[in-house]
Amino acid sequence: MNNVFLLLFCISFLCILIFIIWALINLIRRKPAKKRFVSAGISALVLIISTIGFGLTMDATILSDSNSVTDEAPDTVAEPATQQPTVTPMAQPSPEPTAMPTVQPTQEPTATPEDAPSSSEANAAILDKAEPEIEDPLGFNVSFSDTYRNDVTGNWRLARIAENINIEEYAVDYYNNYFKSDSEIHIIINFTLETTTSITVMGNLLDVAIMEYVDKEEHDAKLACSGMLLKEYHVNIDTGEIEEIQ
């Protein structure tokens, strides 16, 4: 039944729209439109009646559905499954274990508190074994050698570093820590900057000449300082003042 009311609702709604549009068209054309408005009112009345009927039939349908659900509910309640009694087997007496001869373990002698070293003595022993940390006087690692292969003068010394530094700024410190005689000529090869520096003593000045590094010159004094000259400085040993020569 509710489908009939729904169909009437849709038809009456469309009729209202059609009659109102038709009436407006007649008004625009200056023709009588009273009949069209009356038809629209009748359609509106049918719309109201179909809406009320549709609502009543829907309520009845909901009530009937709820009653059918109640009627279909099962009358019987499933009985809980009966629990089968469990039979616990009687504990069988275990045979008494045969007594085994007990062997006393040999106990190692433990150190008495007098024999055990104290924590302070142990820390002192660790410190005694640790080698003292040796820091290079220049603040970075210098691999120094008192000899230079193929040196015929006996005065050449070789030092190897790998630092991004200006060697002229460390010339005085290097002289004070590594020169044993002013007659020595020290060659410092910097593998990071790929430069070779020679330091010689001229009175109270140090001549610091920086050249391009030549491959393998650290192994042969005959190749030392054969690269192109890049910079040359005079460094005052007493004041540390640096003067650029070229």
Side-chain angles (χ1 to χ4, degrees):
M1 190 69 180
N2 55 354
N3 293 330
V4 175
F5 285 113
L6 180 61
L7 181 61
L8 289 175
F9 175 85
C10 295
I11 294 173
S12 59
F13 182 76
L14 292 175
C15 290
I16 291 171
L17 293 177
I18 293 171
F19 287 127
I20 289 176
I21 293 172
W22 197 351
L24 292 175
I25 293 172
N26 289 338
L27 288 175
I28 293 172
R29 293 181 177 180
R30 295 181 180 181
K31 293 182 179 181
K34 182 177 180 180
K35 293 182 180 180
R36 308 295 178 264
F37 284 114
V38 171
S39 301
I42 295 172
S43 299
L45 181 61
V46 174
L47 176 68
I48 295 171
I49 295 172
S50 62
T51 303
I52 296 172
F54 181 77
L56 294 175
T57 55
M58 284 296 295
D59 292 338
T61 303
I62 294 171
L63 290 175
S64 62
D65 291 340
S66 62
N67 292 331
S68 62
V69 171
T70 305
D71 295 338
E72 291 176 359
D75 296 334
T76 60
V77 178
E79 296 182 358
T82 58
Q83 185 176 3
Q84 296 293 332
T86 58
V87 179
T88 304
M90 296 181 64
Q92 297 293 332
S94 59
E96 296 182 357
T98 306
M100 297 293 292
T102 59
V103 179
Q104 296 293 335
T106 58
Q107 184 175 7
E108 296 181 358
T110 58
T112 60
E114 295 179 357
D115 298 332
S118 62
S119 59
S120 60
E121 292 176 354
N123 293 333
I126 294 173
L127 292 175
D128 291 339
K129 292 180 180 180
E131 294 181 1
E133 185 177 359
I134 300 175
E135 294 184 359
D136 193 275
L138 301 184
F140 51 85
N141 185 37
V142 177
S143 177
F144 182 78
S145 175
D146 284 326
T147 60
Y148 202 150
R149 184 183 300 175
N150 294 332
D151 171 35
V152 295
T153 65
N155 293 326
W156 285 36
R157 306 290 183 263
L158 176 64
R160 286 164 288 189
I161 64 174
E163 302 291 333
N164 187 11
I165 60 169
N166 297 322
I167 192 63
E168 67 273 12
E169 297 176 0
Y170 295 85
V172 175
D173 290 336
Y174 181 90
Y175 168 81
N176 292 328
N177 288 279
Y178 291 95
F179 271 75
K180 296 180 182 179
S181 172
D182 289 349
S183 62
E184 295 176 352
I185 299 175
H186 286 239
I187 308 300
I188 304 173
I189 297 177
N190 192 332
F191 293 104
T192 297
L193 300 179
E194 295 185 352
T195 59
T196 300
T197 303
S198 68
I199 300 179
T200 56
V201 181
M202 299 186 306
N204 66 333
L205 297 177
L206 296 176
D207 181 76
V208 181
I210 304 173
M211 292 146 284
E212 287 183 347
Y213 167 74
V214 176
D215 189 29
K216 307 296 183 181
E217 67 178 304
E218 69 272 16
H219 302 298
D220 190 352
K222 294 180 180 179
L223 296 176
C225 304
S226 59
M228 183 179 68
L229 179 65
L230 301 176
K231 291 285 185 180
E232 187 174 5
Y233 302 90
H234 282 170
V235 182
N236 191 301
I237 297 174
D238 299 326
T239 63
E241 182 180 359
I242 302 173
E243 180 185 3
E244 182 177 351
I245 303 302
Q246 59 177 338

PDB file of all heavy atoms in Angstrom, residues 121-138:
ATOM      1  N   GLU A 121      95.196   0.199  45.169  1.00  0.00           N
ATOM      2  CA  GLU A 121      96.393  -0.455  44.653  1.00  0.00           C
ATOM      3  C   GLU A 121      96.172  -0.944  43.223  1.00  0.00           C
ATOM      4  O   GLU A 121      97.070  -0.866  42.380  1.00  0.00           O
ATOM      5  CB  GLU A 121      96.765  -1.627  45.559  1.00  0.00           C
ATOM      6  CG  GLU A 121      97.248  -1.194  46.944  1.00  0.00           C
ATOM      7  CD  GLU A 121      97.523  -2.392  47.832  1.00  0.00           C
ATOM      8  OE1 GLU A 121      97.212  -3.516  47.388  1.00  0.00           O
ATOM      9  OE2 GLU A 121      98.047  -2.201  48.931  1.00  0.00           O
ATOM     10  N   ALA A 122      94.944  -1.457  42.928  1.00  0.00           N
ATOM     11  CA  ALA A 122      94.655  -1.913  41.571  1.00  0.00           C
ATOM     12  C   ALA A 122      94.690  -0.751  40.583  1.00  0.00           C
ATOM     13  O   ALA A 122      95.233  -0.863  39.487  1.00  0.00           O
ATOM     14  CB  ALA A 122      93.279  -2.601  41.531  1.00  0.00           C
ATOM     15  N   ASN A 123      94.106   0.396  40.964  1.00  0.00           N
ATOM     16  CA  ASN A 123      94.141   1.563  40.079  1.00  0.00           C
ATOM     17  C   ASN A 123      95.566   2.047  39.865  1.00  0.00           C
ATOM     18  O   ASN A 123      95.944   2.462  38.767  1.00  0.00           O
ATOM     19  CB  ASN A 123      93.302   2.696  40.666  1.00  0.00           C
ATOM     20  CG  ASN A 123      91.819   2.353  40.693  1.00  0.00           C
ATOM     21  OD1 ASN A 123      91.366   1.558  39.878  1.00  0.00           O
ATOM     22  ND2 ASN A 123      91.084   2.931  41.624  1.00  0.00           N
ATOM     23  N   ALA A 124      96.382   1.991  40.921  1.00  0.00           N
ATOM     24  CA  ALA A 124      97.770   2.412  40.782  1.00  0.00           C
ATOM     25  C   ALA A 124      98.521   1.502  39.827  1.00  0.00           C
ATOM     26  O   ALA A 124      99.355   1.942  39.040  1.00  0.00           O
ATOM     27  CB  ALA A 124      98.449   2.423  42.156  1.00  0.00           C
ATOM     28  N   ALA A 125      98.212   0.174  39.884  1.00  0.00           N
ATOM     29  CA  ALA A 125      98.877  -0.767  38.991  1.00  0.00           C
ATOM     30  C   ALA A 125      98.501  -0.500  37.539  1.00  0.00           C
ATOM     31  O   ALA A 125      99.322  -0.577  36.633  1.00  0.00           O
ATOM     32  CB  ALA A 125      98.505  -2.203  39.375  1.00  0.00           C
ATOM     33  N   ILE A 126      97.205  -0.155  37.302  1.00  0.00           N
ATOM     34  CA  ILE A 126      96.767   0.146  35.938  1.00  0.00           C
ATOM     35  C   ILE A 126      97.456   1.394  35.424  1.00  0.00           C
ATOM     36  O   ILE A 126      97.901   1.461  34.280  1.00  0.00           O
ATOM     37  CB  ILE A 126      95.231   0.309  35.906  1.00  0.00           C
ATOM     38  CG1 ILE A 126      94.559  -1.030  36.228  1.00  0.00           C
ATOM     39  CG2 ILE A 126      94.771   0.831  34.551  1.00  0.00           C
ATOM     40  CD1 ILE A 126      93.063  -0.928  36.379  1.00  0.00           C
ATOM     41  N   LEU A 127      97.573   2.403  36.258  1.00  0.00           N
ATOM     42  CA  LEU A 127      98.238   3.629  35.838  1.00  0.00           C
ATOM     43  C   LEU A 127      99.712   3.407  35.562  1.00  0.00           C
ATOM     44  O   LEU A 127     100.298   4.017  34.680  1.00  0.00           O
ATOM     45  CB  LEU A 127      98.062   4.706  36.922  1.00  0.00           C
ATOM     46  CG  LEU A 127      96.634   5.232  37.109  1.00  0.00           C
ATOM     47  CD1 LEU A 127      96.574   6.195  38.275  1.00  0.00           C
ATOM     48  CD2 LEU A 127      96.154   5.918  35.851  1.00  0.00           C
ATOM     49  N   ASP A 128     100.350   2.482  36.358  1.00  0.00           N
ATOM     50  CA  ASP A 128     101.756   2.198  36.125  1.00  0.00           C
ATOM     51  C   ASP A 128     101.969   1.526  34.783  1.00  0.00           C
ATOM     52  O   ASP A 128     102.982   1.745  34.105  1.00  0.00           O
ATOM     53  CB  ASP A 128     102.301   1.308  37.257  1.00  0.00           C
ATOM     54  CG  ASP A 128     102.364   2.081  38.580  1.00  0.00           C
ATOM     55  OD1 ASP A 128     102.378   3.331  38.516  1.00  0.00           O
ATOM     56  OD2 ASP A 128     102.379   1.438  39.635  1.00  0.00           O
ATOM     57  N   LYS A 129     100.987   0.654  34.378  1.00  0.00           N
ATOM     58  CA  LYS A 129     101.141  -0.060  33.118  1.00  0.00           C
ATOM     59  C   LYS A 129     100.851   0.841  31.923  1.00  0.00           C
ATOM     60  O   LYS A 129     101.335   0.597  30.827  1.00  0.00           O
ATOM     61  CB  LYS A 129     100.197  -1.272  33.085  1.00  0.00           C
ATOM     62  CG  LYS A 129     100.590  -2.359  34.091  1.00  0.00           C
ATOM     63  CD  LYS A 129      99.630  -3.525  34.003  1.00  0.00           C
ATOM     64  CE  LYS A 129      99.996  -4.628  35.002  1.00  0.00           C
ATOM     65  NZ  LYS A 129      99.066  -5.761  34.930  1.00  0.00           N
ATOM     66  N   ALA A 130      99.993   1.857  32.094  1.00  0.00           N
ATOM     67  CA  ALA A 130      99.628   2.729  30.977  1.00  0.00           C
ATOM     68  C   ALA A 130     100.814   3.583  30.570  1.00  0.00           C
ATOM     69  O   ALA A 130     101.533   4.127  31.409  1.00  0.00           O
ATOM     70  CB  ALA A 130      98.451   3.633  31.377  1.00  0.00           C
ATOM     71  N   GLU A 131     101.027   3.674  29.266  1.00  0.00           N
ATOM     72  CA  GLU A 131     102.125   4.483  28.767  1.00  0.00           C
ATOM     73  C   GLU A 131     101.738   5.951  28.806  1.00  0.00           C
ATOM     74  O   GLU A 131     100.593   6.318  28.522  1.00  0.00           O
ATOM     75  CB  GLU A 131     102.437   4.091  27.316  1.00  0.00           C
ATOM     76  CG  GLU A 131     102.975   2.683  27.182  1.00  0.00           C
ATOM     77  CD  GLU A 131     103.302   2.328  25.750  1.00  0.00           C
ATOM     78  OE1 GLU A 131     103.119   3.218  24.888  1.00  0.00           O
ATOM     79  OE2 GLU A 131     103.732   1.201  25.501  1.00  0.00           O
ATOM     80  N   PRO A 132     102.629   6.822  29.175  1.00  0.00           N
ATOM     81  CA  PRO A 132     102.304   8.256  29.211  1.00  0.00           C
ATOM     82  C   PRO A 132     102.038   8.778  27.805  1.00  0.00           C
ATOM     83  O   PRO A 132     102.672   8.376  26.845  1.00  0.00           O
ATOM     84  CB  PRO A 132     103.571   8.883  29.807  1.00  0.00           C
ATOM     85  CG  PRO A 132     104.659   7.902  29.516  1.00  0.00           C
ATOM     86  CD  PRO A 132     104.017   6.548  29.573  1.00  0.00           C
ATOM     87  N   GLU A 133     101.055   9.663  27.702  1.00  0.00           N
ATOM     88  CA  GLU A 133     100.697  10.233  26.409  1.00  0.00           C
ATOM     89  C   GLU A 133     101.745  11.260  25.993  1.00  0.00           C
ATOM     90  O   GLU A 133     102.070  12.181  26.750  1.00  0.00           O
ATOM     91  CB  GLU A 133      99.327  10.906  26.501  1.00  0.00           C
ATOM     92  CG  GLU A 133      98.833  11.432  25.156  1.00  0.00           C
ATOM     93  CD  GLU A 133      97.454  12.031  25.268  1.00  0.00           C
ATOM     94  OE1 GLU A 133      96.907  12.013  26.372  1.00  0.00           O
ATOM     95  OE2 GLU A 133      96.949  12.525  24.250  1.00  0.00           O
ATOM     96  N   ILE A 134     102.284  11.071  24.797  1.00  0.00           N
ATOM     97  CA  ILE A 134     103.334  11.941  24.287  1.00  0.00           C
ATOM     98  C   ILE A 134     102.724  12.852  23.241  1.00  0.00           C
ATOM     99  O   ILE A 134     102.174  12.388  22.248  1.00  0.00           O
ATOM    100  CB  ILE A 134     104.499  11.121  23.693  1.00  0.00           C
ATOM    101  CG1 ILE A 134     105.096  10.204  24.777  1.00  0.00           C
ATOM    102  CG2 ILE A 134     105.566  12.042  23.127  1.00  0.00           C
ATOM    103  CD1 ILE A 134     106.158   9.274  24.262  1.00  0.00           C
ATOM    104  N   GLU A 135     102.804  14.132  23.457  1.00  0.00           N
ATOM    105  CA  GLU A 135     102.281  15.105  22.507  1.00  0.00           C
ATOM    106  C   GLU A 135     103.434  15.762  21.775  1.00  0.00           C
ATOM    107  O   GLU A 135     104.474  16.067  22.367  1.00  0.00           O
ATOM    108  CB  GLU A 135     101.447  16.165  23.230  1.00  0.00           C
ATOM    109  CG  GLU A 135     100.179  15.618  23.867  1.00  0.00           C
ATOM    110  CD  GLU A 135      99.346  16.715  24.491  1.00  0.00           C
ATOM    111  OE1 GLU A 135      99.813  17.882  24.424  1.00  0.00           O
ATOM    112  OE2 GLU A 135      98.275  16.422  25.016  1.00  0.00           O
ATOM    113  N   ASP A 136     103.259  15.994  20.467  1.00  0.00           N
ATOM    114  CA  ASP A 136     104.292  16.653  19.694  1.00  0.00           C
ATOM    115  C   ASP A 136     104.384  18.118  20.128  1.00  0.00           C
ATOM    116  O   ASP A 136     103.357  18.763  20.359  1.00  0.00           O
ATOM    117  CB  ASP A 136     103.960  16.573  18.206  1.00  0.00           C
ATOM    118  CG  ASP A 136     105.151  16.960  17.348  1.00  0.00           C
ATOM    119  OD1 ASP A 136     105.342  18.169  17.108  1.00  0.00           O
ATOM    120  OD2 ASP A 136     105.877  16.047  16.934  1.00  0.00           O
ATOM    121  N   PRO A 137     105.579  18.643  20.285  1.00  0.00           N
ATOM    122  CA  PRO A 137     105.721  20.032  20.760  1.00  0.00           C
ATOM    123  C   PRO A 137     105.094  21.064  19.824  1.00  0.00           C
ATOM    124  O   PRO A 137     104.797  22.175  20.249  1.00  0.00           O
ATOM    125  CB  PRO A 137     107.238  20.216  20.866  1.00  0.00           C
ATOM    126  CG  PRO A 137     107.834  19.147  20.007  1.00  0.00           C
ATOM    127  CD  PRO A 137     106.889  17.989  20.101  1.00  0.00           C
ATOM    128  N   LEU A 138     104.900  20.715  18.561  1.00  0.00           N
ATOM    129  CA  LEU A 138     104.299  21.658  17.621  1.00  0.00           C
ATOM    130  C   LEU A 138     102.772  21.606  17.617  1.00  0.00           C
ATOM    131  O   LEU A 138     102.122  22.430  16.990  1.00  0.00           O
ATOM    132  CB  LEU A 138     104.819  21.388  16.201  1.00  0.00           C
ATOM    133  CG  LEU A 138     106.335  21.495  16.004  1.00  0.00           C
ATOM    134  CD1 LEU A 138     106.678  21.303  14.538  1.00  0.00           C
ATOM    135  CD2 LEU A 138     106.879  22.818  16.501  1.00  0.00           C
TER     136      LEU A 138
END
